[in-house]
Amino acid sequence: MNNKQVVVIGCGPAGLTAGYELLQAGGYEVTLLEESSSLGGISRTVNANGSRMDIGGHRFFSKDKRVTDWWARLMPGQGAPARDDILLKRQVQIDPNGADPEENDLVMLTRRRISRIYYKNTFFDYPVSLSLNTIKGMGIFTTMRAGLSYLSAAVKKLPEDNLESFYINRFGRVLYSMFFEGYTEKLWGRHPREISAEWGAQRVKGLSVSAVLKDVLGKIFGVKNRKVETSLIEQFSYPKLGPGQLWERAAEKITDFGGVIYTGKKVTRIERDENGFAVKVICQDGSEFTCEILISSMPIKDLTEALTDPPRDISRISGDLPYRDFQTVGLLLPSDKFLLRNGTKAPSAGGIAPDCWIYVQDSSVALGRIQIFNNWSPYLVKDFENTVWIGLEYFCREGDGSWGMPDDEYISFAVSELVKIGAIANGKDVLFSHRERVKKAYPAYFGSYPEFYRVREFLDTIPNLYCVGRNGQHRYNNMDHSMATSFEAVNCIKTGNTDKSAIWNVNTEEDYHESKN
């Protein structure tokens, strides 16, 4: 009878983690509201004609033990790394004392991390490495220029007042122009010199040429327990049926614990009492939910708009916060029709390229990345032995010309780009296609972002409001970061701590956690 009423806005990783943790603690009546019809946010998995799409790609790796323990509770079956000399077919090598993925769905497979850059019809390692393949691909002259450029950058550092300077300081101007400049502009729709260096500090942190050198030397000399930058990890865990499987499992547990989840509930108004507490959440369909505690993972822009009587300046700043939206075109092809195959000795499914992602640096196409779902998990593909299931990823802005194109036109455009870069011979080989669009996938670090601290200060004046997750904090958090913000929020709620700085400080520390790149 004395349970506190909690409303959680958003059923992505942050929202579901918060709901689960509060119900586990006991003493809370938890209601979760999700605007869309699916759970997991950008970490959801889409079933398309029997094959599954991982929206955006999610590597399950973290240095935060709270996160890895949480994953293990929900997905108890653990797979062992597949040996390099075994093709990754339906048989995924499993610890003899562990779970058999053929018989158990709740399995975390262990996958090799392979992502490369496709630049001028050549594959390069990503993160950029000092391998023979890199030198061969660049050529001796370009390699020498890159080395001299790096030495110059190491001696004379640029002021890090934008993302371009951030990258140049760590890689030199030559490598920056080859491997970072064009792709970053595709991702954000802005040149790197127009973007805050804070984005680089959060996403690549310790990664640089010197970090790559240390990693290479550590391997050569067998240094044990060496610190490995997260962007250099070589393997990661992955749910058998994609990341959405874990979040669907979390939702099942929440309802088992007595929580209530509503989908199709877009929050449009949040009422506050005379003391500034959030007391009522109202949805577009007219439904109302009272609350004593409010946890929000909805975009800051929408949250501020929903709050009653925010200060004019706060409305202006939050209203001008920028986002990048996201589209994926899934294409099913016969395995022998996908032509990107060269470059590495690592195993691949049926001889196709072994990458999880291929970063497309070619500026003549809008295509940003190619996901190969076969290599994330063989169980994502309905006919794994005979087909390759890929996702063509595009970064865009809601309302632009590409966003509003009919599905058939946009898919045709995407197929033509795949032909242009030589990945397929023609569009006639496509067996099936599917398009997914994601709003506000990436909170951006330009526009009014330099003033965002003022919005945070205002939100912290609402005593019972806790902002969590990627969009809930307007920070490019990975999945494990988003979960960590909820751990911190729940800790504040349980202990009665009114200082919310620990929630906001996730992903600002020097060490970096990764689940997605």
Side-chain angles (χ1 to χ4, degrees), residues 107-150:
V107 172
M108 280 283 204
L109 306 177
T110 303
R111 317 306 284 151
R112 279 183 57 84
R113 173 192 172 135
I114 302 174
S115 297
R116 291 178 296 169
I117 295 167
Y118 192 61
Y119 177 72
K120 293 187 176 180
N121 300 316
T122 303
F123 279 113
F124 294 90
D125 294 337
Y126 181 82
V128 178
S129 72
L130 300 177
S131 66
L132 181 62
N133 179 63
T134 300
I135 296 171
K136 183 179 177 181
M138 292 196 301
I140 295 297
F141 178 69
T142 301
T143 300
M144 291 176 63
R145 286 181 59 237
L148 292 171
S149 173
Y150 169 70

Side-chain angles (χ1 to χ4, degrees), residues 324-368:
R324 288 292 277 174
D325 306 294
F326 181 81
Q327 301 187 70
T328 298
V329 173
L331 299 178
L332 186 68
L333 303 162
S335 295
D336 61 348
K337 299 299 183 182
F338 187 58
L339 305 179
L340 298 183
R341 297 172 180 273
N342 68 326
T344 177
K345 294 180 181 179
S348 61
I352 60 175
D355 308 77
C356 300
W357 278 308
I358 297 171
Y359 294 84
V360 180
Q361 295 286 1
D362 191 332
S363 59
S364 69
V365 294
L367 177 61

Side-chain angles (χ1 to χ4, degrees), residues 23 69 92 128 133 232 277 301 337 345 414 509:
L23 288 163
D69 286 349
V92 179
V128 178
N133 179 63
L232 299 174
F277 285 77
K301 186 174 187 175
K337 299 299 183 182
K345 294 180 181 179
E509 71 287 353

Side-chain angles (χ1 to χ4, degrees), residues 64-107:
D64 189 331
K65 191 173 184 298
R66 297 173 302 176
V67 171
T68 55
D69 286 349
W70 204 91
W71 289 338
R73 285 200 301 273
L74 269 70
M75 302 286 289
Q78 296 296 310
R83 287 171 49 194
D84 286 353
D85 59 349
I86 297 177
L87 288 180
L88 304 180
K89 295 201 174 183
R90 282 284 180 193
Q91 312 92 320
V92 179
Q93 190 181 17
I94 295 296
D95 184 336
N97 298 318
D100 180 351
E102 293 290 352
E103 298 179 359
N104 181 9
D105 274 348
L106 300 179
V107 172

Side-chain angles (χ1 to χ4, degrees), residues 42 46 61 70 74 83 95 154 193 247 328 346 361 449 455 499:
I42 196 174
V46 174
F61 173 85
W70 204 91
L74 269 70
R83 287 171 49 194
D95 184 336
R193 72 176 66 96
W247 299 113
T328 298
Q361 295 286 1
Y449 180 76
V455 178
D499 181 0

Side-chain angles (χ1 to χ4, degrees), residues 205-278:
K205 288 195 173 160
L207 182 61
S208 63
V209 170
S210 60
V212 173
L213 278 170
K214 289 178 184 177
D215 188 62
V216 170
L217 293 174
K219 291 177 183 176
I220 292 173
F221 293 105
V223 177
K224 294 182 179 180
N225 300 320
R226 71 187 194 279
K227 180 181 176 181
V228 178
E229 297 298 340
T230 304
S231 293
L232 299 174
I233 63 165
E234 296 181 347
Q235 64 182 35
F236 59 93
S237 296
Y238 193 78
K240 173 182 174 178
L241 300 177
Q245 180 185 16
L246 180 136
W247 299 113
E248 290 159 10
R249 175 74 170 164
E252 290 173 4
K253 289 291 186 182
I254 286 170
T255 55
D256 289 345
F257 297 153
V260 180
I261 298 174
Y262 293 100
T263 58
K265 296 291 183 181
K266 180 178 181 179
V267 173
T268 55
R269 187 170 176 81
I270 299 169
E271 294 185 355
R272 292 183 286 161
D273 65 14
E274 62 277 7
N275 297 314
F277 285 77

